[in-house]
Coordinates of all heavy atoms in Angstrom, one line a residue:
M1 N 66.1 -38.2 15.5 CA 65.2 -38.5 16.6 C 64.5 -37.3 17.1 O 65.1 -36.4 17.7 CB 66.0 -39.1 17.8 CG 65.1 -39.7 18.8 SD 66.0 -40.6 20.1 CE 66.7 -39.3 21.1
P2 N 63.2 -37.2 16.9 CA 62.4 -36.0 17.3 C 62.3 -35.9 18.8 O 62.0 -36.9 19.4 CB 61.1 -36.1 16.6 CG 60.9 -37.5 16.3 CD 62.3 -38.1 16.2
T3 N 62.4 -34.7 19.3 CA 62.3 -34.6 20.8 C 61.0 -33.8 21.0 O 60.9 -32.7 20.6 CB 63.5 -33.8 21.4 OG1 64.7 -34.5 20.9 CG2 63.4 -33.9 22.9
H4 N 60.1 -34.4 21.8 CA 58.9 -33.7 22.1 C 58.9 -33.1 23.5 O 59.2 -33.9 24.4 CB 57.7 -34.6 21.9 CG 57.4 -35.0 20.5 ND1 56.9 -34.2 19.6 CD2 57.7 -36.2 19.9 CE1 56.8 -34.8 18.4 NE2 57.3 -36.0 18.6
S5 N 58.7 -31.9 23.6 CA 58.7 -31.3 24.9 C 57.6 -30.1 24.9 O 56.9 -30.0 23.9 CB 60.0 -30.8 25.4 OG 60.5 -29.8 24.4
T6 N 57.6 -29.3 25.9 CA 56.6 -28.2 25.9 C 57.0 -27.2 24.9 O 58.2 -27.1 24.5 CB 56.5 -27.6 27.3 OG1 57.7 -26.9 27.6 CG2 56.2 -28.6 28.4
R7 N 56.1 -26.4 24.5 CA 56.4 -25.4 23.5 C 57.5 -24.4 23.9 O 58.4 -24.1 23.2 CB 55.2 -24.6 23.2 CG 54.6 -25.0 21.8 CD 53.2 -24.4 21.7 NE 52.4 -25.3 20.9 CZ 51.5 -24.9 20.0 NH1 51.3 -23.6 19.8 NH2 50.8 -25.8 19.3
G8 N 57.4 -24.0 25.2 CA 58.4 -23.0 25.7 C 59.8 -23.6 25.6 O 60.7 -23.0 25.2
E9 N 59.9 -24.8 26.1 CA 61.2 -25.4 26.1 C 61.8 -25.6 24.7 O 62.9 -25.4 24.4 CB 61.2 -26.8 26.7 CG 61.1 -26.7 28.2 CD 61.0 -28.1 28.9 OE1 60.4 -29.0 28.3 OE2 61.5 -28.2 30.0
T10 N 60.9 -25.9 23.8 CA 61.3 -26.1 22.4 C 61.8 -24.8 21.8 O 62.9 -24.7 21.2 CB 60.1 -26.6 21.5 OG1 59.6 -27.8 22.1 CG2 60.6 -26.8 20.1
L11 N 61.1 -23.7 22.1 CA 61.5 -22.4 21.6 C 62.9 -22.0 22.2 O 63.8 -21.6 21.5 CB 60.5 -21.3 22.0 CG 60.9 -19.9 21.7 CD1 61.0 -19.6 20.3 CD2 60.0 -18.9 22.5
L12 N 63.0 -22.2 23.5 CA 64.3 -21.9 24.1 C 65.4 -22.7 23.7 O 66.5 -22.2 23.4 CB 64.1 -22.0 25.7 CG 63.1 -21.1 26.3 CD1 63.0 -21.3 27.8 CD2 63.4 -19.6 26.0
E13 N 65.1 -24.0 23.5 CA 66.1 -24.9 23.0 C 66.6 -24.5 21.6 O 67.7 -24.5 21.2 CB 65.6 -26.3 22.9 CG 65.6 -27.0 24.3 CD 67.0 -27.2 24.8 OE1 67.8 -27.9 24.1 OE2 67.4 -26.7 25.8
R14 N 65.6 -24.1 20.8 CA 65.9 -23.7 19.4 C 66.7 -22.5 19.4 O 67.7 -22.4 18.6 CB 64.6 -23.5 18.7 CG 64.7 -23.6 17.2 CD 63.4 -23.2 16.5 NE 62.3 -24.1 16.9 CZ 61.0 -23.7 17.0 NH1 60.7 -22.5 16.6 NH2 60.1 -24.5 17.4
L15 N 66.4 -21.5 20.3 CA 67.2 -20.3 20.3 C 68.6 -20.6 20.7 O 69.6 -20.1 20.2 CB 66.6 -19.3 21.3 CG 65.5 -18.4 20.7 CD1 64.8 -17.7 21.8 CD2 66.1 -17.4 19.8
R16 N 68.8 -21.4 21.7 CA 70.1 -21.8 22.2 C 70.9 -22.4 21.1 O 72.1 -22.1 20.9 CB 70.0 -22.7 23.4 CG 71.4 -22.9 24.1 CD 71.2 -23.5 25.5 NE 70.6 -24.9 25.4 CZ 71.3 -26.0 25.2 NH1 72.6 -25.9 25.0 NH2 70.7 -27.1 25.1
R17 N 70.2 -23.3 20.4 CA 70.9 -24.0 19.3 C 71.3 -23.0 18.2 O 72.4 -23.2 17.6 CB 69.9 -25.0 18.7 CG 70.6 -26.1 18.0 CD 69.7 -27.3 17.8 NE 69.2 -27.8 19.1 CZ 69.9 -28.7 19.8 NH1 71.1 -29.1 19.4 NH2 69.5 -29.1 21.0
R18 N 70.5 -22.0 18.1 CA 70.9 -21.0 17.0 C 72.1 -20.3 17.5 O 73.0 -20.0 16.6 CB 69.7 -20.0 16.9 CG 69.9 -19.2 15.6 CD 68.6 -18.4 15.3 NE 68.5 -17.3 16.2 CZ 67.4 -16.5 16.3 NH1 66.4 -16.8 15.5 NH2 67.4 -15.5 17.1
Y19 N 72.2 -19.9 18.7 CA 73.4 -19.2 19.2 C 74.6 -20.1 19.1 O 75.7 -19.8 18.8 CB 73.2 -18.7 20.6 CG 72.3 -17.5 20.7 CD1 71.3 -17.5 21.7 CD2 72.4 -16.5 19.8 CE1 70.4 -16.4 21.7 CE2 71.5 -15.4 19.8 CZ 70.5 -15.4 20.8 OH 69.6 -14.4 20.9
E20 N 74.4 -21.4 19.4 CA 75.5 -22.4 19.4 C 76.0 -22.6 18.0 O 77.2 -22.9 17.9 CB 75.0 -23.7 20.0 CG 74.9 -23.7 21.5 CD 74.4 -25.0 22.1 OE1 74.0 -25.9 21.3 OE2 74.4 -25.2 23.3
T21 N 75.1 -22.4 17.0 CA 75.6 -22.7 15.7 C 76.0 -21.4 14.9 O 76.8 -21.5 14.0 CB 74.5 -23.4 14.8 OG1 73.3 -22.6 14.9 CG2 74.3 -24.8 15.3
T22 N 75.5 -20.2 15.4 CA 75.9 -19.0 14.6 C 76.9 -18.1 15.4 O 77.5 -17.3 14.8 CB 74.6 -18.1 14.4 OG1 74.0 -17.8 15.6 CG2 73.6 -18.9 13.5
D23 N 77.0 -18.3 16.7 CA 77.8 -17.4 17.4 C 78.9 -18.3 18.2 O 78.9 -18.4 19.4 CB 77.0 -16.6 18.4 CG 77.8 -15.4 18.9 OD1 79.0 -15.3 18.6 OD2 77.2 -14.6 19.7
T24 N 79.7 -18.9 17.4 CA 80.7 -19.8 18.0 C 82.1 -19.2 18.2 O 82.9 -19.8 18.9 CB 80.8 -21.1 17.1 OG1 81.1 -20.7 15.8 CG2 79.5 -21.9 17.1
R25 N 82.3 -18.1 17.5 CA 83.6 -17.5 17.5 C 83.8 -16.4 18.5 O 83.0 -15.5 18.6 CB 83.9 -17.0 16.1 CG 85.3 -16.6 15.9 CD 85.6 -16.3 14.4 NE 86.9 -15.9 14.2 CZ 87.4 -14.7 14.4 NH1 86.7 -13.7 14.9 NH2 88.7 -14.4 14.1
C26 N 84.8 -16.6 19.4 CA 85.0 -15.6 20.4 C 85.6 -14.3 19.8 O 86.6 -14.4 19.1 CB 86.0 -16.2 21.4 SG 86.5 -15.0 22.7
P27 N 84.9 -13.2 20.1 CA 85.4 -11.9 19.5 C 86.7 -11.5 20.1 O 87.4 -10.6 19.6 CB 84.3 -10.9 19.8 CG 83.5 -11.5 21.0 CD 83.7 -13.0 20.9
E28 N 87.1 -12.0 21.3 CA 88.3 -11.6 22.0 C 89.5 -12.3 21.4 O 90.5 -11.7 21.1 CB 88.2 -11.9 23.5 CG 87.1 -11.1 24.2 CD 87.3 -9.6 24.2 OE1 88.5 -9.3 24.4 OE2 86.4 -8.9 24.1
C29 N 89.4 -13.6 21.3 CA 90.7 -14.3 20.9 C 90.5 -15.1 19.6 O 91.4 -15.7 19.1 CB 91.1 -15.3 22.0 SG 90.0 -16.7 22.2
G30 N 89.3 -15.1 19.1 CA 89.0 -15.8 17.8 C 88.9 -17.3 17.9 O 88.7 -18.0 16.9
F31 N 88.8 -17.8 19.1 CA 88.6 -19.2 19.4 C 87.2 -19.6 18.9 O 86.2 -19.0 19.2 CB 88.8 -19.6 20.8 CG 88.6 -21.0 21.2 CD1 89.6 -21.9 21.0 CD2 87.4 -21.5 21.7 CE1 89.5 -23.3 21.3 CE2 87.2 -22.8 22.0 CZ 88.2 -23.7 21.8
V32 N 87.1 -20.7 18.1 CA 85.8 -21.2 17.7 C 85.4 -22.4 18.5 O 86.0 -23.4 18.6 CB 85.9 -21.6 16.2 CG1 84.5 -22.2 15.8 CG2 86.2 -20.4 15.3
D33 N 84.3 -22.2 19.3 CA 83.9 -23.2 20.2 C 82.8 -24.1 19.5 O 81.7 -23.8 19.4 CB 83.3 -22.5 21.4 CG 82.9 -23.5 22.5 OD1 83.2 -24.7 22.3 OD2 82.4 -23.1 23.5
T34 N 83.3 -25.2 19.1 CA 82.4 -26.1 18.4 C 81.5 -26.9 19.4 O 80.6 -27.6 19.0 CB 83.2 -27.1 17.5 OG1 84.2 -27.7 18.3 CG2 83.8 -26.4 16.3
E35 N 81.9 -26.8 20.6 CA 81.1 -27.5 21.6 C 79.8 -26.8 21.9 O 78.8 -27.4 22.4 CB 81.9 -27.7 22.9 CG 83.2 -28.4 22.8 CD 83.0 -29.9 22.7 OE1 82.3 -30.5 23.5 OE2 83.5 -30.5 21.7
G36 N 79.8 -25.5 21.7 CA 78.6 -24.7 21.9 C 78.3 -24.6 23.4 O 77.2 -25.1 23.8
N37 N 79.1 -24.1 24.2 CA 78.9 -24.0 25.6 C 78.0 -22.9 26.1 O 78.3 -22.2 27.1 CB 80.3 -23.9 26.4 CG 81.1 -25.2 26.2 OD1 80.7 -26.3 26.5 ND2 82.3 -25.1 25.6
W38 N 76.9 -22.7 25.4 CA 76.0 -21.7 25.8 C 75.1 -22.2 27.0 O 74.6 -23.3 26.9 CB 75.1 -21.3 24.7 CG 75.8 -20.4 23.7 CD1 76.6 -20.9 22.6 CD2 75.9 -19.0 23.6 NE1 77.1 -19.8 21.9 CE2 76.7 -18.7 22.6 CE3 75.4 -18.0 24.5 CZ2 77.0 -17.3 22.2 CZ3 75.7 -16.7 24.2 CH2 76.5 -16.4 23.1
T39 N 74.9 -21.4 27.9 CA 74.0 -21.8 29.0 C 72.7 -20.9 29.0 O 72.8 -19.7 28.5 CB 74.6 -21.7 30.4 OG1 75.1 -20.4 30.6 CG2 75.8 -22.7 30.5
T40 N 71.6 -21.4 29.5 CA 70.4 -20.6 29.4 C 70.0 -20.3 30.9 O 70.0 -21.1 31.7 CB 69.3 -21.5 28.8 OG1 69.8 -22.1 27.6 CG2 68.1 -20.6 28.4
Q41 N 69.6 -19.0 31.0 CA 69.1 -18.6 32.4 C 67.8 -17.8 32.2 O 67.7 -16.9 31.4 CB 70.2 -17.7 33.0 CG 70.3 -17.8 34.5 CD 71.5 -17.0 35.0 OE1 72.0 -16.2 34.3 NE2 71.8 -17.2 36.2
M42 N 66.8 -18.3 33.0 CA 65.5 -17.6 32.9 C 65.5 -16.5 34.0 O 65.9 -16.8 35.1 CB 64.4 -18.6 33.1 CG 64.2 -19.5 32.0 SD 63.4 -18.7 30.6 CE 61.7 -18.4 31.3
D43 N 65.0 -15.4 33.6 CA 64.8 -14.3 34.6 C 63.5 -13.6 34.3 O 63.5 -12.6 33.5 CB 66.0 -13.3 34.5 CG 65.9 -12.2 35.6 OD1 65.1 -12.4 36.5 OD2 66.7 -11.3 35.5
G44 N 62.4 -14.1 34.8 CA 61.1 -13.6 34.5 C 60.8 -13.8 33.0 O 60.8 -15.0 32.6
L45 N 60.6 -12.8 32.3 CA 60.3 -12.9 30.9 C 61.5 -12.8 30.1 O 61.5 -12.7 28.8 CB 59.3 -11.8 30.4 CG 57.8 -12.1 30.9 CD1 56.9 -11.0 30.5 CD2 57.3 -13.4 30.2
Q46 N 62.7 -12.7 30.7 CA 63.9 -12.6 30.0 C 64.7 -13.9 30.0 O 64.7 -14.6 31.1 CB 64.8 -11.5 30.7 CG 64.7 -10.1 30.1 CD 65.8 -9.2 30.6 OE1 66.5 -9.6 31.5 NE2 65.9 -8.1 30.0
V47 N 65.2 -14.2 28.9 CA 66.1 -15.4 28.9 C 67.5 -14.9 28.5 O 67.6 -14.2 27.5 CB 65.6 -16.4 27.8 CG1 66.4 -17.7 27.9 CG2 64.1 -16.7 28.0
V48 N 68.4 -15.3 29.3 CA 69.8 -14.9 29.1 C 70.6 -16.1 28.6 O 70.7 -17.1 29.3 CB 70.4 -14.2 30.3 CG1 71.8 -13.8 30.1 CG2 69.6 -13.1 30.8
Y49 N 71.2 -15.9 27.5 CA 72.1 -17.0 26.9 C 73.5 -16.5 27.2 O 73.9 -15.4 26.8 CB 71.8 -17.2 25.4 CG 70.5 -17.7 25.2 CD1 69.4 -16.9 24.9 CD2 70.3 -19.1 25.2 CE1 68.1 -17.4 24.7 CE2 69.0 -19.6 25.0 CZ 68.0 -18.8 24.7 OH 66.7 -19.3 24.5
H50 N 74.2 -17.3 27.8 CA 75.5 -16.9 28.3 C 76.6 -17.9 27.8 O 76.4 -19.1 27.8 CB 75.5 -16.9 29.8 CG 76.7 -16.2 30.4 ND1 77.5 -16.9 31.3 CD2 77.2 -15.0 30.3 CE1 78.5 -16.1 31.7 NE2 78.4 -15.0 31.1
H51 N 77.7 -17.3 27.4 CA 78.8 -18.2 26.9 C 80.1 -17.7 27.5 O 80.4 -16.5 27.5 CB 78.9 -18.2 25.4 CG 80.0 -19.0 24.8 ND1 81.2 -18.5 24.6 CD2 80.0 -20.3 24.5 CE1 82.0 -19.5 24.1 NE2 81.3 -20.6 24.1
V52 N 80.9 -18.6 28.0 CA 82.3 -18.3 28.5 C 83.2 -19.0 27.6 O 83.2 -20.2 27.4 CB 82.5 -18.7 29.9 CG1 83.9 -18.4 30.4 CG2 81.5 -18.0 30.9
C53 N 84.1 -18.2 27.0 CA 85.1 -18.8 26.1 C 86.1 -19.7 26.8 O 86.7 -19.4 27.8 CB 85.9 -17.7 25.4 SG 87.3 -18.3 24.4
P54 N 86.2 -21.0 26.4 CA 87.1 -21.9 27.1 C 88.5 -21.6 26.9 O 89.4 -22.1 27.6 CB 86.7 -23.3 26.4 CG 85.8 -23.0 25.3 CD 85.5 -21.6 25.2
S55 N 88.8 -20.8 25.9 CA 90.2 -20.4 25.6 C 90.7 -19.2 26.4 O 91.8 -19.3 27.1 CB 90.3 -20.2 24.1 OG 91.7 -19.8 23.8
C56 N 89.9 -18.1 26.4 CA 90.4 -16.9 27.1 C 89.5 -16.5 28.2 O 89.9 -15.6 29.0 CB 90.6 -15.8 26.1 SG 89.0 -15.1 25.5
G57 N 88.4 -17.1 28.4 CA 87.5 -16.8 29.5 C 86.6 -15.6 29.3 O 85.9 -15.2 30.2
A58 N 86.7 -15.0 28.1 CA 85.8 -13.9 27.9 C 84.3 -14.3 27.8 O 84.0 -15.4 27.3 CB 86.1 -13.3 26.5
D59 N 83.5 -13.6 28.4 CA 82.1 -14.0 28.4 C 81.2 -13.1 27.5 O 81.5 -11.9 27.4 CB 81.5 -14.2 29.8 CG 81.6 -13.0 30.6 OD1 82.1 -11.9 30.1 OD2 81.1 -13.0 31.8
R60 N 80.2 -13.7 26.9 CA 79.3 -13.0 26.0 C 77.9 -13.4 26.4 O 77.7 -14.5 27.0 CB 79.5 -13.5 24.6 CG 80.8 -13.1 24.0 CD 80.8 -13.7 22.6 NE 81.2 -15.1 22.6 CZ 81.0 -16.0 21.6 NH1 80.3 -15.6 20.6 NH2 81.3 -17.2 21.7
K61 N 77.0 -12.6 26.1 CA 75.6 -13.0 26.4 C 74.6 -12.3 25.4 O 74.9 -11.3 24.8 CB 75.2 -12.7 27.8 CG 75.1 -11.3 28.2 CD 74.7 -11.2 29.7 CE 74.6 -9.8 30.1 NZ 74.2 -9.7 31.5
H62 N 73.6 -13.1 25.2 CA 72.4 -12.6 24.4 C 71.2 -12.6 25.3 O 71.0 -13.5 26.0 CB 72.1 -13.5 23.2 CG 73.2 -13.5 22.2 ND1 73.3 -12.4 21.3 CD2 74.1 -14.4 21.8 CE1 74.3 -12.6 20.5 NE2 74.8 -13.8 20.7
V63 N 70.5 -11.5 25.3 CA 69.3 -11.4 26.1 C 68.1 -11.5 25.2 O 68.0 -10.7 24.3 CB 69.2 -10.1 27.0 CG1 67.9 -10.1 27.8 CG2 70.4 -10.1 27.9
F64 N 67.2 -12.4 25.5 CA 66.0 -12.6 24.7 C 64.8 -12.3 25.5 O 64.7 -12.8 26.6 CB 66.0 -14.1 24.2 CG 64.8 -14.3 23.3 CD1 64.7 -13.9 22.0 CD2 63.7 -15.1 23.8 CE1 63.6 -14.1 21.3 CE2 62.6 -15.3 23.1 CZ 62.5 -14.9 21.8
Q65 N 64.0 -11.4 25.0 CA 62.8 -11.0 25.8 C 61.6 -11.9 25.3 O 61.2 -11.9 24.1 CB 62.5 -9.5 25.5 CG 61.5 -9.0 26.4 CD 62.0 -8.7 27.8 OE1 63.1 -8.3 28.0 NE2 61.2 -9.0 28.8
L66 N 61.0 -12.6 26.2 CA 59.8 -13.4 25.9 C 58.6 -12.5 25.9 O 58.5 -11.5 26.6 CB 59.6 -14.4 27.0 CG 60.6 -15.6 27.1 CD1 60.2 -16.5 28.2 CD2 60.6 -16.4 25.8
E67 N 57.7 -12.8 25.0 CA 56.4 -12.1 24.9 C 55.4 -12.8 25.8 O 55.5 -14.0 26.0 CB 55.9 -12.0 23.5 CG 56.8 -11.2 22.6 CD 56.4 -11.3 21.1 OE1 55.2 -11.5 20.9 OE2 57.3 -11.1 20.3
K68 N 54.5 -11.9 26.3 CA 53.5 -12.5 27.2 C 52.5 -13.4 26.4 O 52.2 -13.0 25.3 CB 52.7 -11.4 27.9 CG 53.4 -10.9 29.1 CD 52.5 -9.9 29.8 CE 53.2 -9.4 31.1 NZ 52.3 -8.4 31.7
Ligands
ZN1 ZN1 88.2 -16.2 23.7

C-alpha cells in the first residue's frame, strides 16, 4: 500500500526506516530490536533519530543534517 505524504516526511520516514532495519542491534548488550523503536526529533535543520534499548536501556542516536 503506497503512502503519499509530503516529500520531507517521506525522506524522514525513509531514513528512520533505514535505521530501523540496519541498526537494530544494541552495541551494549547485543539485543536485536526487531520492533525498531527509533524516534524522530526535529531540531531546526537537524533531525535526531533516537533509540533506547528495551533490554538494557542504552541509548543511541543518529543526527541527520538537512540541506536547505
Ligand atoms: Zn542493550
Side-chain angles (χ1 to χ4, degrees):
M1 187 172 80
T3 310
H4 292 285
S5 58
T6 68
R7 255 167 212 218
E9 283 179 330
T10 303
L11 171 70
L12 297 179
E13 281 293 301
R14 202 185 301 150
L15 272 167
R16 188 167 63 87
R17 202 160 300 279
R18 195 170 75 187
Y19 290 135
E20 282 181 355
T21 53
T22 61
D23 197 354
T24 54
R25 190 173 181 278
C26 174
E28 295 295 324
C29 70
F31 180 83
V32 177
D33 187 2
T34 51
E35 301 285 308
N37 292 302
W38 286 88
T39 57
T40 317
Q41 209 172 19
M42 287 287 291
D43 183 11
L45 284 175
Q46 268 192 349
V47 187
V48 181
Y49 295 92
H50 189 240
H51 179 268
V52 177
C53 176
S55 179
C56 74
D59 57 1
R60 292 176 282 159
K61 66 179 178 181
H62 289 289
V63 179
F64 180 75
Q65 190 75 39
L66 292 178
E67 291 174 27
K68 277 190 182 174

